[in-house]
Amino acid sequence: MSTTAPGATPRHYLMCEPTYYTVSYEINPWMHREQATDTPRAVDQWRRLRDVFVDLGHTIDLIDPVPGLPDMVYAANGATVVDGIVYSAKFRYPQRQPEGPLYEKWFADHGYVTHTAQRVNEGEGDMLVVGTVLLAGTGFRSERAAHAEAQEAFGHPVISLELVDPHYYHLDTALAVLSSSPSDPQIAYYPPAFSAGSQSVLRQLFPDAVIANGEDAAALGLNIVSDGQHVVHAPDARHLAAAVRERGYETIAVDTTELLKGGGGAKCCTLEIREPLS
Ligand code: ARG
């Protein structure tokens, strides 16, 4: 077990301020229309998250929020970007479908090559880069066929993982990338969120992974953002934060409880733009 984190590398993130955030429909078990949302509080929590990234030296770009698209704050779902190549999102539910073209347009307007997805996939919510491979979730949102499409778009191996608990409907709610360093990739995950076969795949590929417990998972504690040294996480994921510190990472707790009402946390709000390695 490694107890030294690989070290921070500067990151480039795309985010969307939750100006129009609310819970007006229910497409995951966390969302309850009758539970009030506090949009100004969501904005404050989101700004704090953005400020933490800026203080860590990361570059933040912003996409304009659009009225009537309350989930647009969950930017991670907007696309997957690897080596400067953009694989667009194609959302499962009609309520979010307009977001795919909006995010793709943002990238096209900023000079990126985009691949328009033919298959249903919810961006980085279900596709996480670890070293030189992608781990991809299916079962609730993204189609397995999208994994093959992404593999062709990026030219990196894509490993499919089956999600089985509706609370952990996106891969980034059940598995976190602590280090995407090709020489020292590290993840954390919550095994019960995965099928038996996928648990076996994860054990083989990542025998040293940090294992989250039920409380970590229930706080959406796996929805973390790591730059290889600093791990931004939900305050209630105490066991996970301690385990991550034992591996040599520095943890930064950021309260995203207002955004949890929509079923998201820090990672959901953060779309990583990975430029080509030069
Ligand atoms: N309400 C959103 C949905 O159900 C939450 C998305 C969270 N994003 C994420 N990357 N897990 O689609």
Side-chain angles (χ1 to χ4, degrees):
M1 182 184 103
S2 165
T3 52
T4 318
T9 51
R11 307 290 170 129
H12 184 184
Y13 298 133
L14 179 61
M15 301 179 75
C16 181
E17 191 161 278
T19 317
Y20 306 108
Y21 170 74
T22 186
V23 174
S24 54
Y25 50 81
E26 298 176 5
I27 57 172
N28 70 52
W30 306 83
M31 301 175 86
H32 303 290
R33 259 174 301 193
E34 70 281 5
Q35 184 181 27
T37 45
D38 181 339
T39 305
R41 188 160 174 262
V43 170
D44 285 349
Q45 292 181 347
W46 178 91
R47 287 185 179 162
R48 161 95 184 112
L49 179 66
R50 179 202 57 194
D51 292 349
V52 165
F53 293 148
V54 170
D55 289 348
L56 289 171
H58 303 315
T59 303
I60 308 297
D61 271 322
L62 298 174
I63 181 171
D64 289 335
V66 172
L69 296 176
D71 277 344
M72 221 178 143
V73 60
Y74 303 115
N77 300 133
T80 307
V81 188
V82 181
D83 300 335
I85 298 167
V86 178
Y87 174 56
S88 77
K90 184 168 157 59
F91 283 83
R92 175 156 303 272
Y93 293 111
Q95 294 94 332
R96 296 198 68 186
Q97 278 164 1
E99 295 181 44
L102 286 171
Y103 274 91
E104 187 173 3
K105 182 175 184 317
W106 187 94
F107 281 103
D109 289 348
H110 289 77
Y112 289 84
V113 177
T114 70
H115 289 251
T116 306
Q118 304 301 312
R119 298 298 190 158
V120 171
N121 83 88
E122 299 199 348
E124 277 202 334
D126 272 326
M127 285 194 203
L128 299 172
V129 177
V130 199
T132 55
V133 307
L134 280 84
L135 301 180
T138 187
F140 296 101
R141 299 292 180 90
S142 300
E143 286 182 274
R144 202 175 269 267
H147 303 174
E149 200 174 51
Q151 177 163 287
E152 284 308 309
F154 298 132
H156 288 286
V158 176
I159 294 157
S160 294
L161 299 168
E162 182 90 28
L163 296 162
V164 295
D165 180 336
H167 289 92
Y168 308 112
Y169 56 93
H170 276 145
L171 184 63
D172 71 358
T173 63
L175 187 148
V177 181
L178 301 173
S179 161
S180 52
S181 156
S183 58
D184 194 8
Q186 284 171 0
I187 66 163
Y189 67 101
Y190 178 55
F194 296 90
S195 68
S198 295
Q199 290 183 34
S200 171
V201 169
L202 287 168
R203 277 197 303 273
Q204 288 169 59
L205 292 178
F206 302 100
D208 264 358
V210 174
I211 301 298
N213 68 20
E215 272 170 58
D216 299 325
L220 276 193
L222 286 153
N223 200 248
I224 63 178
V225 181
S226 173
D227 65 9
Q229 179 67 45
H230 309 98
V231 171
V232 177
H233 67 93
D236 287 343
R238 292 192 183 80
H239 158 269
L240 180 63
V244 162
R245 280 193 295 274
E246 259 175 50
R247 304 293 180 105
Y249 294 87
E250 293 166 50
T251 54
I252 304 171
V254 176
D255 182 10
T256 47
T257 42
E258 199 56 42
L259 295 156
L260 186 61
K261 294 176 183 170
K267 169 65 197 131
C268 296
C269 297
T270 312
L271 170 52
E272 183 160 355
I273 303 177
R274 300 178 188 81
E275 306 294 351
L277 292 175
S278 47

